[in-house]
Amino acid sequence: RSSTGPSKPACSIVVPSTPGARKLASRLDVDIACVTPSGPRGRVVEEDVRTYSDRKQAGQLPPGLPTPSKSIPITGIRETIAKHMLGSLSTTAQLSYSLEVDVTEVQRNRRRFSKDSGVTITLGHVVIKAVVETLKRFPTMNTIFSNGEILFFDDINIGLAVSIDDGLIVPVLRDAGNKSIKLIAEEATKLAEKARGQSLLPDEVIGGTFTVSILGVVDVFTPILNRGQTAILGIGRSVEKPAIVKGEISVREMLTLSLTADHQIVDGATAASFLRRLQQMIERPGQLFK
């Protein structure tokens, strides 16, 4: 039998959906049975339909390309990550800032403290501690944007972006504002080990109010916000560079920090001041090791 319009993909599973999702699917010419649900009780919601439609349109190859050697569908944790990242970018006004930090002195302190305490303290742990102390002075950075409201928190729960074999997961270091650097290092190490061993509990990956992403193989990158959060800090690699100190050229170990913030919530001046204060705290690290 002839068809008067484009055919839709055949999907075998019929899933429950919200009225808004069905209306949007009709408008976008999407077969709602093909959409992966993320709503309560396994229902397809409007965001699911929009994401499916965007991917379908993005999947239309421009002319002139060679035939692909293979095609791998996005499923599982990679699909979840894709949805979260796309949702984050589409619902926030993300703006990024970078600043180079001299970590020569803090590295000396870190090595000495690790030896004396018997706990391995990494540069990342020191930066996390510095972030926690800086957030106490900039409470707007430790917020969640939800339903048109900015939600402030006394607790500081740091999400720790951890790379695993098939994606990225963000366990949460809870109540970091009341933890010493030694305790932060111990708990962060355990969370990272559990993440790589895929043994995190459900309540260990929820509740973050600010995220830190360590990517020590590049100097600078632009981290993407975890959806709902106001800010995320990216930590690049530390490298030795010539620098002018007290009028003389010397070799210093430098680290680039990249902050992404939601410009709906945080003005540029506030985000820049936060990053500058963080730089000062790392470069004068005495109080971080108390």
Side-chain angles (χ1 to χ4, degrees):
R1 185 174 57 181
S2 63
S3 174
T4 58
S7 62
K8 295 182 180 180
C11 298
S12 59
I13 301 175
V14 177
V15 295
S17 57
T18 65
R22 292 192 293 273
K23 182 177 180 181
L24 181 61
S26 176
R27 182 165 62 85
L28 297 177
D29 194 31
V30 166
D31 182 354
I32 203 165
C34 297
V35 179
T36 302
S38 69
R41 299 184 298 279
R43 295 200 301 172
V44 171
V45 295
E46 290 181 47
E47 181 186 342
D48 300 328
V49 175
R50 191 173 290 108
T51 298
Y52 178 88
S53 177
D54 289 343
R55 287 185 188 160
K56 183 179 177 183
Q57 292 180 21
Q60 295 173 355
L61 295 177
L65 286 178
T67 302
S69 58
K70 65 177 179 179
S71 176
I72 302 175
I74 295 180
T75 59
I77 190 170
R78 176 54 56 191
E79 182 179 26
T80 301
I81 291 171
K83 279 189 175 183
H84 285 175
M85 293 300 97
L86 184 62
S88 172
L89 289 169
S90 65
T91 59
T92 55
Q94 301 196 24
L95 187 60
S96 296
Y97 314 76
S98 295
L99 198 60
E100 203 168 42
V101 181
D102 187 335
V103 294
T104 308
E105 184 63 28
V106 79
Q107 287 283 49
R108 293 194 192 103
N109 281 261
R110 175 188 69 78
R111 295 185 187 101
R112 186 184 310 117
F113 189 87
S114 293
K115 183 178 180 181
D116 293 343
S117 67
V119 176
T120 300
I121 309 292
T122 68
L123 182 56
H125 296 149
V126 178
V127 175
I128 290 169
K129 176 63 174 175
V131 165
V132 168
E133 296 304 318
T134 307
L135 284 172
K136 294 176 182 179
R137 294 182 173 229
F138 292 84
T140 306
M141 305 294 288
N142 189 55
T143 56
I144 297 292
F145 185 46
S146 177
N147 296 322
E149 296 182 332
I150 305 173
L151 307 179
F152 288 76
F153 303 94
D154 293 330
D155 289 353
I156 299 174
N157 294 344
I158 301 294
L160 308 172
V162 177
S163 177
I164 57 178
D165 289 342
D166 53 354
L168 187 76
I169 195 166
V170 187
V172 176
L173 177 64
R174 295 185 177 279
D175 196 24
N178 292 316
K179 288 181 167 65
S180 66
I181 192 168
K182 179 180 177 182
L183 193 54
I184 285 175
E186 290 174 335
E187 293 191 10
T189 299
K190 288 179 182 177
L191 285 171
E193 289 173 349
K194 292 182 72 173
R196 296 187 180 103
Q198 299 184 13
S199 60
L200 288 166
L201 300 175
D203 63 354
E204 290 177 321
V205 293
I206 58 174
T209 58
F210 185 103
T211 296
V212 172
S213 178
I214 302 175
L215 193 59
V217 295
V218 295
D219 293 343
V220 184
F221 65 102
T222 303
I224 298 175
L225 291 174
N226 273 320
R227 192 167 184 180
Q229 292 182 13
T230 296
I232 180 174
L233 182 76
I235 304 175
R237 65 171 182 162
S238 62
V239 294
E240 290 188 337
K241 295 181 179 181
I244 298 177
V245 180
K246 297 181 180 179
E248 297 184 354
I249 297 177
S250 63
V251 176
R252 310 290 290 182
E253 187 171 349
M254 308 299 291
L255 173 73
T256 300
L257 301 177
S258 301
L259 176 74
T260 297
D262 187 349
H263 213 353
Q264 297 176 107
I265 313 303
V266 178
D267 292 332
T270 301
S273 296
F274 171 88
L275 198 54
R276 175 61 174 160
R277 175 61 186 170
L278 180 61
Q279 177 196 43
Q280 293 170 344
M281 184 159 289
I282 294 171
E283 292 183 345
R284 297 192 285 273
Q287 72 180 81
L288 299 177
F289 295 93
K290 293 180 180 178

